[in-house]
């Protein structure tokens, strides 16, 4: 894979060291706004990036790259992905893939026409612990309650309180706790239990954006609560409760570091089988292989999952009377 990187922010600085560990991934180029050339120059030197662009169109026209990794503010995902697909590039896009299901379906149709793979970079679905967790669900019997919590005080929240609004808290840029942090809980819930029958979001709203909130998902015989906060923190414990056993997930749901399976009759099993210390490693290893082997079946299944998640997110925003996206002024 000859990959081109879009963006040079925090997530890119996390991803580049991981990519550099994977022999099949060759970091060909990076495109940025040019506002911080020293930052980009450092990344280019550190990770031996062949070329730096400041023009996105020139970047995607470069025939030396076959795959684009999008790590820019949420509201830019759709337009950048569409342009990359039109130039026959595979696309790996950070969560959320787009802001609406309609946008993602447009990208899906275009990708099918261009015969390229598009896939969402959502860490927890690619971790080995996720596979074991999903296999363990039948062990708990009839599942009754699940509660997922990923709360982390944002480094940008103090600025937000002082009216310095960065993309993570900007409704016009698709920000907010649901789209930025609770989305990991939603991916986990939909991955484990499928699409819910009803979605309700109880949000703490400041300056027209949700800084934290509780998302309730209703299924036929169980209830799921997803807690996501950027204005406060917790030790991030999650539970899946059944009539035979309980699963306790340790730590934030984007990492799935470990979990315990505790039987009501006694006995505990502990699982910690992730293949790497960094949460993004397995994600990129598996996605690179999917693209290299043109595993359309797997890619299509993952894309359908992403569409289901976006449908939940849209219902959640509507239930809380929240509007996000470029049309918001």
């Amino acid at each position: 894979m000859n990959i081109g990187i879009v963006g040079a922010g925090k997530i890119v600085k996390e991803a580049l060291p991981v990519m550099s560990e994977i022999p099949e991934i060759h970091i060909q180029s990076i495109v940025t706004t040019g506002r911080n050339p020293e930052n980009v120059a450092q990344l280019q030197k550190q990770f031996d990036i062949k070329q730096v662009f400041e023009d996105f169109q020139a970047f995607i026209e470069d025939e030396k790259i076959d795959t684009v990794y999008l790590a820019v503010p949420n509201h830019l995902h759709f337009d950048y992905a569409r342009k990359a697909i039109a130039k026959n590039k595979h696309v790996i896009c950070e969560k959320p893939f787009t802001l609406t299901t309609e946008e993602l379906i447009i990208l899906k149709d275009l990708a099918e026409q261009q015969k390229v793979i598009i896939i969402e970079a959502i860490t927890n679905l690619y971790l080995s612990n996720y596979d074991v967790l999903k296999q363990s669900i039948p062990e708990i019997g009839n599942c009754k309650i699940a509660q997922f919590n990923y709360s982390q005080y944002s480094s940008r929240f103090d600025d937000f309180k002082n009216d310095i609004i960065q993309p993570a808290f900007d409704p016009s840029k698709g920000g907010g706790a649901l789209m930025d942090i609770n989305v990991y809980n939603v991916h986990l819930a939909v991955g484990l239990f499928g699409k819910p029958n009803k979605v309700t979001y109880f949000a703490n709203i400041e300056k027209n954006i949700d800084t934290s909130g509780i998302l309730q998902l209703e299924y036929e015989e169980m209830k799921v609560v997803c807690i996501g906060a950027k204005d406060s923190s917790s030790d991030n414990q999650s539970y899946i409760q059944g009539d035979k056993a309980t699963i306790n997930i340790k730590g934030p749901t984007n990492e799935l570091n470990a979990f315990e399976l505790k039987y009501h009759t006694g006995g505990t099993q502990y699982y910690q089988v992730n293949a790497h210390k960094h949460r993004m490693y397995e994600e990129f290893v598996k996605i690179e292989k999917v693209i290299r082997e043109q595993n359309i079946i797997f890619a299509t299944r993952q894309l359908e999952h992403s569409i289901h998640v976006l449908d939940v997110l849209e219902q959640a925003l509507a239930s809380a009377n929240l509007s996000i996206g470029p049309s918001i002024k």
Side-chain angles (χ1 to χ4, degrees):
M1 174 189 289
N2 291 323
I3 197 165
I5 311 295
V6 186
K10 181 179 178 182
I11 194 67
V12 168
K13 291 174 183 176
E14 273 199 84
L16 283 172
V18 174
M19 290 183 189
S20 66
E21 288 190 45
I22 303 170
E24 293 81 7
I25 296 180
H26 308 285
I27 306 168
Q28 178 64 38
S29 60
I30 187 169
V31 59
T32 72
T33 60
R35 288 196 296 264
N36 193 344
E38 294 82 7
N39 174 50
V40 178
Q42 176 60 36
L43 293 177
Q44 183 180 23
K45 180 180 179 181
Q46 184 177 355
F47 298 103
D48 191 28
I49 301 173
K50 305 298 185 294
Q51 193 168 2
V52 173
F53 291 90
E54 291 183 9
D55 178 72
F56 182 77
Q57 194 62 37
F59 163 80
I60 58 171
E61 288 178 357
D62 182 6
E63 294 182 358
K64 292 187 289 294
I65 62 171
D66 54 62
T67 303
V68 169
Y69 170 57
L70 292 178
V72 290
N74 297 343
H75 70 297
L76 299 175
H77 289 182
F78 172 68
D79 189 47
Y80 281 25
R82 180 171 56 177
K83 289 176 179 177
I85 295 166
K87 291 296 180 180
N88 296 106
K89 311 297 185 187
H90 305 294
V91 173
I92 305 168
C93 186
E94 276 298 329
K95 54 75 191 170
F97 208 133
T98 56
L99 298 184
T100 67
T101 54
E102 181 183 10
E103 288 178 339
L104 188 49
I105 290 170
I106 290 171
L107 295 183
K108 175 179 179 288
D109 292 342
L110 182 58
E112 289 173 354
Q113 294 170 20
Q114 299 297 102
K115 295 182 172 56
V116 296
I117 286 174
I118 63 172
I119 200 160
E120 187 173 10
I122 183 73
T123 52
N124 51 13
L125 295 189
Y126 292 93
L127 293 166
S128 297
N129 276 344
Y130 171 78
D131 294 332
V132 178
L133 175 63
K134 191 165 186 175
Q135 294 165 12
S136 300
I137 294 296
E139 290 292 308
I140 70 172
N142 295 317
C143 191
K144 297 298 185 181
I145 295 288
Q147 46 183 316
F148 301 120
N149 188 353
Y150 183 15
S151 299
Q152 180 176 289
Y153 190 86
S154 172
S155 59
R156 302 172 179 88
F157 189 60
D158 288 338
D159 281 345
F160 173 78
K161 290 189 290 186
N162 292 317
D163 293 323
I164 302 170
I165 310 299
Q166 299 184 50
F169 287 101
D170 188 340
S172 71
K173 292 180 170 56
L178 178 68
M179 302 297 278
D180 186 58
I181 199 166
N182 213 347
V183 64
Y184 289 107
N185 297 327
V186 178
H187 271 283
L188 190 56
V190 172
L192 295 175
F193 308 119
K195 286 183 65 176
N197 297 328
K198 184 178 178 182
V199 177
T200 311
Y201 187 40
F202 304 96
N204 289 318
I205 300 173
E206 299 180 43
K207 302 172 188 175
N208 299 315
I209 198 74
D210 57 317
T211 59
S212 59
I214 297 171
L215 178 65
Q216 181 173 301
L217 309 178
E218 296 188 31
Y219 291 84
E220 193 68 35
E221 296 181 351
M222 66 174 295
K223 302 290 187 290
V224 177
V225 172
C226 298
I227 301 169
K230 294 170 67 65
D231 55 10
S232 54
S233 293
S234 78
D235 61 358
N236 292 316
Q237 299 283 321
S238 297
Y239 298 90
I240 305 171
Q241 301 166 208
D243 58 6
K244 292 183 179 178
T246 297
I247 291 172
N248 174 205
I249 300 170
K250 312 287 187 177
T253 51
N254 69 329
E255 296 181 359
L256 291 183
N257 285 321
F259 69 92
E260 287 181 343
L261 176 61
K262 298 182 178 180
Y263 294 93
H264 301 335
T265 55
T268 299
Q269 295 182 30
Y270 183 80
Y271 297 95
Q272 190 176 29
V273 297
N274 287 344
H276 194 275
K277 62 183 179 181
H278 199 286
R279 62 188 175 86
M280 299 176 81
Y281 180 83
E282 290 187 87
E283 172 185 52
F284 281 110
V285 166
K286 292 178 183 179
I287 291 176
E288 185 281 327
K289 185 178 181 183
V290 166
I291 291 175
R292 171 165 42 87
E293 297 182 351
Q294 290 290 287
N295 190 339
I296 303 299
I297 294 174
F298 180 88
T300 300
R301 185 169 69 243
Q302 295 302 98
L303 195 57
E304 289 298 325
H305 168 89
S306 293
I307 290 170
H308 293 332
V309 167
L310 274 171
D311 183 53
V312 170
L313 296 175
E314 282 191 281
Q315 291 182 60
L317 291 169
S319 78
N321 294 315
L322 283 166
S323 297
I324 61 170
S327 62
I328 305 301
K329 302 298 183 184

